[in-house]
Amino acid sequence: MGGGGFVDDKGGRRAHLYEYRITGYFIFACVVAAMGGSLFGYDLGVSGGVTSMDDFLKEFFPKVYRRKHAHLEETDYCKYDNQILTLFTSSLYFAALVSTFGASHITRNKGRRASILCGAVSFFLGAILNAFAKNIAMLIIGRCLLGVGIGFGNQAVPLYLSEMAPAKVRGAVNQLFQLTTCLGILIANFINYATDKIHPWGWRLSLGLATVPAMVMFIGGLFLPETPNSLVEQGRLQEAREVLEKVRGTTKVDAEFSDLKDASDAARAIKDPFRNLLKRKNRPQLVIAALGIPAFQQLTGMNSILFYAPVIFQSLGFGSGASLYSSAITSGALVLATFISMAFVDKFGRRAFFLEAGVEMICVMVAAAATLALKFGEGEKLPKGIGIFLVVIICIFVLAYGRSWGPLGWLVPSELFPLETRSAGQSIVVCVNMIFTALIAQCFLVSLCHLKFGIFLLFGGLIFIMSCFIFFLLPETKQVPIEEIYLLWQNHWFWKRYCTPVENEHELDGKSLPPI
């Protein structure tokens, strides 16, 4: 049975009474906050390009440089198999997963805006350190500071956007985070393409320009309003109502403000939000939002393509310039896909995008594996036609990911948590996401070396599993007010056994629970 669970057309108890207009104040707040995605995106795009630049490899990884330019007895799949080189990429994500727990405390107690500002400062310092790095230790420390910035930004920004947005356009607004991430990737690829021609310090410019989105995010963040949800959570009710009236463009916010206060009353009763996530009634959010979706987002294989697109294309026989250009094409496809998702996700829904794109992604992975199995050999340059075919199918994969697991991997978790566990839940989302991002970053090149074309079949199998996960367990959340999402679980064919209100619920929380 598909993931049922519906509420009436009004979305819940008071949703039909909500009123709003799209105001300039609202647009400014969302656009500035969404710049947090550009930090994540710029780093995703720039790190893969820098690790394929000869000047960077000669200075820090001379063995990899020599291997890159000599056909040894190993296969072409193994040219870049170096754990220290991949640590340059993955160290950022290990730092991000640790920092997100500190970000949770600040986000809950000081507000979403405070976390956004902290993230911008840390990312700026990391970019400076990387740009002036003289040894691998400086590189890794700089990457860790970048990771702290991303941990704070990814924790706060999706929450900020979801809380500021009216329910009917929440999907599109939240995906501003994914859009700026994709634009960051695209801009980074073009910067890498240009700086690859600047010898011997072009790579420093690529890394140092990460200070630009950090400064924009910090300066803009100084003028950001806090979300009404967070202000209510902090007990600043009058200020919360004033902000809500500004972002909704109307004084008729009684129904929505009442829902916010009800959610805040429940939140104040929770002393340990992390422990509260383990309760029986929060089982759907724990399984789907905190664990399943952020892990599966990385197991699609997309970030492997984003991290190492230039490296992959060089391994497949493209020249240095051609590989950077090809990766710029794929990141451009990612931006296009995000616009498609923003335009239609609130019309067609989250589940439809997940499932339709999943079929496309599986087909592409099988096609890529079959092509490489037949045409890619020991030190042989790929025919031009095969190279073009690989770029095309990778673009198809990116278009599918970019309208499904990419944006929805951040949108859906930010919608599912109730206010009392929202900051803690988002911390676990970021933590799980970064754990799997770091593992993929650290293991992809060695897996490419040993599994060869089989790595694409592995990702295809994982995409099939995650599509089944969505089909059976995720209800549709489009246009449902964020404070009334809990009603979906009570009507879902599977989750209602955990979430239907019962007498003496507190007694159930202490008992052993049936397996999921």
Side-chain angles (χ1 to χ4, degrees), residues 36-335:
S38 66
L39 306 185
F40 192 27
Y42 187 86
D43 183 79
L44 280 172
V46 83
S47 57
V50 165
T51 53
S52 72
M53 291 183 184
D54 286 348
D55 292 324
F56 176 80
L57 293 174
K58 280 191 287 187
E59 183 159 352
F60 295 102
F61 303 98
K63 289 183 180 179
V64 177
Y65 172 77
R66 290 192 295 270
R67 186 190 302 166
K68 173 183 173 182
H69 290 278
H71 289 299
L72 305 181
E73 294 179 358
E74 62 195 286
T75 71
D76 288 336
Y77 290 102
C78 299
K79 283 182 179 180
Y80 291 88
D81 179 19
N82 182 287
Q83 289 300 294
I84 302 299
L85 177 61
T86 51
L87 183 62
F88 166 74
T89 298
S90 60
S91 58
L92 178 147
Y93 304 101
F94 287 119
L97 71 89
V98 173
S99 67
T100 187
F101 292 104
S104 172
H105 177 78
I106 291 177
T107 301
R108 179 177 170 89
N109 295 291
K110 302 298 182 182
R112 286 51 165 156
R113 176 175 170 270
S115 278
I116 290 173
L117 292 172
C118 289
V121 171
S122 182
F123 197 88
F124 180 87
L125 295 175
I128 292 293
L129 198 58
N130 270 180
F132 292 96
K134 297 297 183 183
N135 51 54
I136 291 176
M138 286 183 69
L139 280 177
I140 300 300
I141 294 171
R143 295 289 292 173
C144 288
L145 286 171
L146 292 173
V148 171
I150 286 176
F152 273 81
N154 287 12
Q155 213 277 343
V157 172
L159 292 187
Y160 187 96
L161 295 174
S162 285
E163 291 180 346
M164 292 293 274
K168 290 186 178 180
V169 295
R170 188 174 63 244
V173 170
N174 185 275
Q175 288 189 49
L176 286 171
F177 177 75
Q178 177 70 7
L179 177 62
T180 57
T181 299
C182 297
L183 288 172
I185 295 168
L186 179 63
I187 291 169
N189 274 290
F190 281 114
I191 287 174
N192 282 340
Y193 186 70
T195 59
D196 189 44
K197 299 176 175 62
I198 303 175
H199 304 289
W201 51 271
W203 63 271
R204 294 186 184 275
L205 183 59
S206 285
L207 295 177
L209 284 174
T211 57
V212 175
M215 287 190 293
V216 172
M217 183 175 163
F218 179 80
I219 294 171
L222 294 175
F223 300 96
L224 276 182
E226 187 54 83
T227 70
N229 310 61
S230 180
L231 291 169
V232 170
E233 193 176 19
Q234 297 173 54
R236 297 153 64 182
L237 298 182
Q238 183 58 38
E239 188 178 349
R241 185 176 180 105
E242 291 172 359
V243 172
L244 185 61
E245 290 177 355
K246 280 188 176 182
V247 296
R248 295 292 180 261
T250 177
T251 58
K252 299 176 181 179
V253 295
D254 291 338
E256 186 171 3
F257 192 63
S258 294
D259 278 350
L260 288 180
K261 289 193 293 183
D262 289 349
S264 178
D265 291 340
R268 285 198 188 93
I270 304 300
K271 302 303 181 185
D272 188 345
F274 285 99
R275 185 170 182 176
N276 187 261
L277 269 174
L278 301 177
K279 287 189 174 183
R280 179 185 177 88
K281 67 177 183 179
N282 291 324
R283 195 59 52 84
Q285 295 94 319
L286 177 66
V287 173
I288 296 177
L291 302 177
I293 288 179
F296 283 142
Q297 186 192 47
Q298 302 310 313
L299 294 176
T300 58
M302 180 60 206
N303 271 359
S304 300
I305 294 173
L306 293 180
F307 287 147
Y308 300 117
V311 171
I312 291 171
F313 286 125
Q314 283 195 29
S315 293
L316 299 181
F318 292 71
S320 177
S323 70
L324 289 171
Y325 188 67
S326 298
S327 62
I329 292 174
T330 60
S331 57
L334 192 59
V335 173

Side-chain angles (χ1 to χ4, degrees), residues 335-381:
V335 173
L336 175 61
T338 305
F339 279 115
I340 294 172
S341 188
M342 290 177 68
F344 296 109
V345 72
D346 288 312
K347 179 179 180 181
F348 296 116
R350 285 60 160 155
R351 281 168 48 82
F353 272 50
F354 271 129
L355 298 174
E356 176 271 331
V359 174
E360 284 186 45
M361 293 161 71
I362 292 170
C363 293
V364 167
M365 285 299 186
V366 172
T371 302
L372 294 176
L374 294 173
K375 296 294 183 180
F376 189 52
E378 304 277 337
E380 298 177 7
K381 189 172 182 178

